[in-house]
Amino acid sequence: MASEKEAALAATPSDSPTIFDKIISKEIPSTVVYEDDKVLAFRDITPQGPVHILLIPKVRDGLTGLSKAEERHIDILGRLLYTAKLVAKQEGLEEGFRIVINDGPQGCQSVYHIHVHLIGGRQMNWPPG
């Protein structure tokens, strides 16, 4: 499998269904840890920590990345972050966690469907990347 950097550099934004759209529609299986009418959270298949969960909006609505956010996306962006807090508590991450949103090729974004990485269960280092 290509590295995340290689995958990000090869990825291009598209209106075609993403892997996340296929996870939402259950075409591709995932280990779901949280779901409501707006957000789906599931375990990352290449975890970067003992806990690594992806949180995605169920409707893309043109929000392929954070740099594409418009005022109409304020509610879902807030919902993603609040849901990350709920999932972190559910996962026992009382000592802390990291939230990551990759944006664009240099930000190492490989799927153009906005998503939040919730990573925890170990000591994080600074600076990242």
Side-chain angles (χ1 to χ4, degrees), residues 3-73:
S3 74
E4 286 299 313
K5 180 179 174 183
E6 290 168 332
L9 292 172
T12 55
S14 167
D15 290 331
S16 300
T18 68
I19 189 170
F20 293 161
D21 292 308
K22 293 175 182 179
I23 288 171
I24 292 165
S25 68
K26 311 295 187 212
E27 292 174 58
I28 295 176
S30 66
T31 304
V32 173
V33 298
Y34 178 92
E35 183 171 10
D36 64 23
D37 60 325
K38 305 235 185 254
V39 175
L40 182 68
F42 54 94
R43 298 203 184 278
D44 194 304
I45 60 170
T46 56
Q48 301 301 304
V51 175
H52 188 163
I53 294 167
L54 298 176
L55 297 99
I56 60 173
K58 287 186 168 181
V59 176
R60 213 174 351 161
D61 187 29
L63 191 55
T64 55
L66 191 57
S67 61
K68 302 300 181 192
E70 298 177 7
E71 189 170 353
R72 66 191 166 113
H73 298 124

Side-chain angles (χ1 to χ4, degrees), residues 81-108:
L81 291 178
Y82 181 73
T83 302
K85 175 247 183 192
L86 296 177
V87 172
K89 183 175 182 178
Q90 173 184 301
E91 293 291 315
L93 300 176
E94 292 85 12
E95 297 297 316
F97 52 89
R98 180 167 287 168
I99 295 296
V100 177
I101 299 175
N102 299 328
D103 190 85
Q106 288 192 352
C108 215

